[in-house]
Amino acid sequence: MALTLICPDKDPAPWIRALNDADPKLEIRVWPDDHPREEIELALTWSHPWGCLTLYPNLGCISSMGAGVDHLLSDPDLPGDIPLVRIIDSGLVSDMAEYILLAVLSHFRQFDIYHNRQSHQDWHPLAPLDKKDFSIGIMGLGQLGRAAAQQLISHGFSVTGWKNSSGTIPGIPSFYGKEQLFEFLSQTRVLICLLPLTQATCRILNSQTFSRLARESYLINVGRGKHLDENALIPALDRGLLSGACLDVFAKEPLEPGHPFWSHPKIKITPHISSLTQPASVAPQIIENLKRLRTGRPLLNLVDPQKGY
């Protein structure tokens, strides 16, 4: 029996090396040359071609190569009777928290303004901002969101969170559900999106959301590109509803040449690097799930398809 890698947009070589290091006896194949497909037990995937997961008659588990699973759940032919799992890794968590801290500090210390003034040789210090007036709101309080909140709190920022379901998280005042969204937004100076992508959260960063924020708030989107209504961002920036945006994810990646985001002076772009899965770090949990599959034990990091995460 074997594992197959289905990742047409990724180089499979680092994954093969990491998995072989974790289990030298593991049989690894790579789509589309992964015959005979009757031997495939687990599919490790990222941006798989829709419909291909129906080709494995003995498939027992489908694993995302990262924390997100929207690339799987968007497949209309996804087998409904095969469990889905995702990657949860401490390295991903710390990388994301660092990225968010850097983005917040860069905005708080007004580095973007100073950088733009540099080309004009403009030496005029700005009045410093006060952390007491710099409230941060995080949409999504899963493992990544909680870690980011704790990192920001440790640096003296005031942080609140918004999530889908009720429940308290020690040290992080939280809002939940549609009925509390506008109250959450009204208190937010920097809005950070770390939500899973579902039907309910698609394009949640829209003109109505921006209008409910404190004026000249700042947006950081490190969730998924489709969280953002791209047609709403530049008007919000030009009207002063937002003072700027830091975007690491986009509806279509890579961001196409000529897209207006590239040249807008208030938009900072990074190429989906806020947190990157390191194959060597996560290979052991993939092997563990394969062992659990073979012995009938509960799988790690199961996904609830109804919730979308």
Coordinates of all heavy atoms in Angstrom, one line a residue, residues 72-109:
L72 N -9.7 21.7 -0.9 CA -10.4 20.4 -1.0 C -11.9 20.5 -1.0 O -12.5 19.9 -1.9 CB -10.0 19.6 0.2 CG -8.5 19.0 0.2 CD1 -8.1 18.5 1.6 CD2 -8.4 17.9 -0.8
L73 N -12.4 21.3 -0.1 CA -13.9 21.4 0.0 C -14.6 22.1 -1.2 O -15.8 21.9 -1.4 CB -14.2 22.2 1.3 CG -13.8 21.5 2.6 CD1 -14.1 22.4 3.8 CD2 -14.5 20.1 2.7
S74 N -13.8 22.8 -2.0 CA -14.4 23.5 -3.2 C -14.6 22.5 -4.3 O -15.2 22.8 -5.3 CB -13.5 24.6 -3.6 OG -12.2 24.2 -4.0
D75 N -14.0 21.3 -4.2 CA -14.1 20.3 -5.3 C -15.5 19.7 -5.2 O -15.9 19.0 -4.3 CB -13.1 19.2 -5.0 CG -13.1 18.1 -6.1 OD1 -14.0 18.1 -7.0 OD2 -12.2 17.2 -6.1
P76 N -16.3 19.9 -6.3 CA -17.7 19.3 -6.3 C -17.7 17.8 -6.3 O -18.8 17.2 -5.9 CB -18.3 19.9 -7.5 CG -17.2 20.2 -8.4 CD -16.0 20.6 -7.5
D77 N -16.6 17.2 -6.7 CA -16.6 15.7 -6.7 C -15.8 15.1 -5.6 O -15.4 13.9 -5.7 CB -16.0 15.2 -8.1 CG -16.8 15.7 -9.2 OD1 -18.1 15.5 -9.2 OD2 -16.3 16.2 -10.2
L78 N -15.6 15.9 -4.5 CA -14.8 15.4 -3.4 C -15.6 14.2 -2.8 O -16.8 14.3 -2.4 CB -14.7 16.5 -2.3 CG -13.8 16.1 -1.1 CD1 -12.4 16.0 -1.5 CD2 -14.0 17.2 0.0
P79 N -14.9 13.0 -2.6 CA -15.6 11.9 -2.0 C -16.1 12.2 -0.6 O -15.4 12.7 0.3 CB -14.5 10.8 -1.9 CG -13.6 11.2 -3.0 CD -13.6 12.7 -3.0
G80 N -17.4 12.1 -0.4 CA -18.0 12.4 0.9 C -17.8 11.5 2.0 O -18.1 11.8 3.2
D81 N -17.3 10.3 1.7 CA -17.2 9.2 2.8 C -15.7 9.0 3.2 O -15.5 8.1 4.0 CB -17.8 7.9 2.2 CG -17.1 7.5 1.0 OD1 -16.4 8.3 0.3 OD2 -17.3 6.3 0.6
I82 N -14.8 9.9 2.8 CA -13.4 9.7 3.1 C -13.0 10.8 4.1 O -13.3 12.0 3.8 CB -12.5 9.7 1.9 CG1 -12.9 8.6 1.0 CG2 -11.1 9.7 2.3 CD1 -12.1 8.5 -0.3
P83 N -12.5 10.5 5.3 CA -12.1 11.6 6.2 C -11.1 12.5 5.7 O -10.1 12.1 5.0 CB -11.6 10.8 7.4 CG -11.3 9.4 6.9 CD -12.2 9.2 5.8
L84 N -11.2 13.8 6.1 CA -10.2 14.8 5.7 C -9.5 15.2 6.9 O -10.0 15.4 8.0 CB -11.0 16.0 5.1 CG -11.9 15.9 4.0 CD1 -12.5 17.2 3.6 CD2 -11.3 15.2 2.8
V85 N -8.2 15.4 6.8 CA -7.3 15.9 7.8 C -6.5 17.1 7.3 O -6.3 17.3 6.1 CB -6.4 14.9 8.4 CG1 -7.2 13.7 9.0 CG2 -5.4 14.3 7.4
R86 N -6.0 17.9 8.2 CA -5.2 19.0 7.8 C -3.9 19.1 8.7 O -3.8 18.3 9.7 CB -5.9 20.4 8.0 CG -6.3 20.7 9.4 CD -7.3 21.8 9.5 NE -7.7 22.2 10.8 CZ -7.3 23.3 11.4 NH1 -6.5 24.1 10.8 NH2 -7.7 23.6 12.7
I87 N -3.0 19.9 8.3 CA -1.7 20.1 9.0 C -1.9 21.1 10.1 O -2.3 22.2 9.9 CB -0.6 20.5 8.1 CG1 -0.3 19.4 7.0 CG2 0.7 20.8 8.9 CD1 0.2 18.1 7.6
I88 N -1.5 20.7 11.3 CA -1.3 21.7 12.4 C 0.1 21.6 12.9 O 0.5 20.5 13.4 CB -2.4 21.5 13.5 CG1 -3.8 21.6 13.0 CG2 -2.1 22.4 14.7 CD1 -4.9 21.4 14.0
D89 N 0.8 22.7 12.8 CA 2.3 22.6 13.1 C 2.7 23.9 13.9 O 2.3 25.0 13.6 CB 3.0 22.6 11.8 CG 4.5 22.5 12.0 OD1 5.0 21.6 12.7 OD2 5.2 23.4 11.5
S90 N 3.5 23.7 14.9 CA 4.0 24.8 15.8 C 4.8 25.8 14.9 O 4.7 27.0 15.2 CB 4.8 24.3 16.9 OG 5.9 23.6 16.5
G91 N 5.5 25.3 13.9 CA 6.2 26.2 13.1 C 5.3 27.2 12.3 O 5.6 28.4 12.2
L92 N 4.2 26.6 11.8 CA 3.3 27.5 11.1 C 2.7 28.6 12.0 O 2.5 29.7 11.7 CB 2.1 26.7 10.5 CG 2.4 25.7 9.4 CD1 1.2 24.9 9.1 CD2 2.8 26.5 8.1
V93 N 2.4 28.2 13.3 CA 1.8 29.1 14.2 C 2.8 30.2 14.6 O 2.4 31.4 14.6 CB 1.4 28.3 15.5 CG1 0.9 29.3 16.6 CG2 0.4 27.3 15.2
S94 N 4.0 29.9 14.9 CA 5.0 30.9 15.2 C 5.3 31.8 14.0 O 5.5 33.0 14.2 CB 6.3 30.3 15.8 OG 6.9 29.5 14.8
D95 N 5.4 31.3 12.8 CA 5.6 32.1 11.6 C 4.5 33.1 11.4 O 4.8 34.3 11.1 CB 5.8 31.2 10.4 CG 7.1 30.4 10.3 OD1 8.0 30.7 11.2 OD2 7.2 29.6 9.4
M96 N 3.3 32.6 11.6 CA 2.2 33.5 11.4 C 2.1 34.6 12.4 O 1.9 35.8 12.1 CB 0.8 32.8 11.4 CG -0.4 33.6 11.2 SD -0.4 34.4 9.6 CE -1.0 33.0 8.6
A97 N 2.4 34.3 13.7 CA 2.4 35.3 14.7 C 3.5 36.3 14.5 O 3.3 37.5 14.7 CB 2.6 34.6 16.1
E98 N 4.7 35.9 14.0 CA 5.7 36.8 13.7 C 5.4 37.8 12.6 O 5.6 39.0 12.6 CB 7.0 36.1 13.4 CG 7.7 35.4 14.5 CD 8.9 34.5 14.1 OE1 9.1 34.4 12.9 OE2 9.6 34.0 15.0
Y99 N 4.8 37.2 11.5 CA 4.4 38.0 10.4 C 3.4 39.1 10.8 O 3.5 40.3 10.4 CB 3.7 37.1 9.3 CG 3.3 37.9 8.1 CD1 4.1 37.9 6.9 CD2 2.1 38.6 8.0 CE1 3.7 38.6 5.8 CE2 1.7 39.2 6.9 CZ 2.5 39.2 5.8 OH 2.1 39.9 4.6
I100 N 2.4 38.7 11.6 CA 1.4 39.7 12.0 C 2.0 40.7 12.9 O 1.7 41.9 12.8 CB 0.2 38.9 12.7 CG1 -0.6 38.1 11.7 CG2 -0.7 39.9 13.5 CD1 -1.6 37.2 12.3
L101 N 2.8 40.3 13.8 CA 3.5 41.3 14.7 C 4.3 42.3 13.9 O 4.2 43.5 14.1 CB 4.4 40.6 15.7 CG 5.2 41.5 16.6 CD1 4.3 42.3 17.5 CD2 6.2 40.6 17.5
L102 N 5.0 41.8 12.9 CA 5.8 42.7 12.0 C 4.9 43.7 11.3 O 5.2 44.9 11.2 CB 6.6 41.9 11.1 CG 7.4 42.7 10.0 CD1 8.5 43.6 10.7 CD2 8.1 41.7 9.0
A103 N 3.8 43.2 10.7 CA 2.9 44.0 10.0 C 2.3 45.1 10.9 O 2.1 46.3 10.5 CB 1.8 43.2 9.3
V104 N 1.9 44.7 12.1 CA 1.3 45.6 13.1 C 2.3 46.7 13.5 O 2.0 47.9 13.5 CB 0.7 44.9 14.3 CG1 0.3 45.9 15.4 CG2 -0.5 44.1 13.9
L105 N 3.5 46.2 13.9 CA 4.5 47.2 14.3 C 5.0 48.1 13.2 O 5.2 49.3 13.5 CB 5.8 46.4 14.8 CG 5.6 45.7 16.2 CD1 6.8 44.9 16.5 CD2 5.3 46.7 17.3
S106 N 5.1 47.6 12.0 CA 5.4 48.5 10.9 C 4.4 49.6 10.7 O 4.8 50.8 10.5 CB 5.5 47.7 9.6 OG 5.9 48.5 8.5
H107 N 3.1 49.3 10.8 CA 2.1 50.3 10.7 C 2.1 51.2 11.9 O 2.0 52.4 11.8 CB 0.7 49.6 10.5 CG -0.4 50.6 10.4 ND1 -0.5 51.5 9.4 CD2 -1.5 50.8 11.2 CE1 -1.6 52.3 9.6 NE2 -2.2 51.8 10.7
F108 N 2.2 50.6 13.1 CA 2.1 51.4 14.3 C 3.3 52.4 14.4 O 3.1 53.6 14.8 CB 2.2 50.5 15.5 CG 2.2 51.2 16.9 CD1 1.1 51.9 17.3 CD2 3.4 51.1 17.6 CE1 1.2 52.6 18.6 CE2 3.5 51.8 18.9 CZ 2.4 52.5 19.3
R109 N 4.5 52.0 14.0 CA 5.6 52.9 14.0 C 5.7 53.8 12.8 O 6.7 54.5 12.6 CB 6.9 52.1 14.2 CG 7.0 51.4 15.6 CD 6.9 52.3 16.8 NE 8.0 53.3 16.7 CZ 9.1 53.2 17.3 NH1 9.4 52.0 18.0 NH2 10.0 54.1 17.3

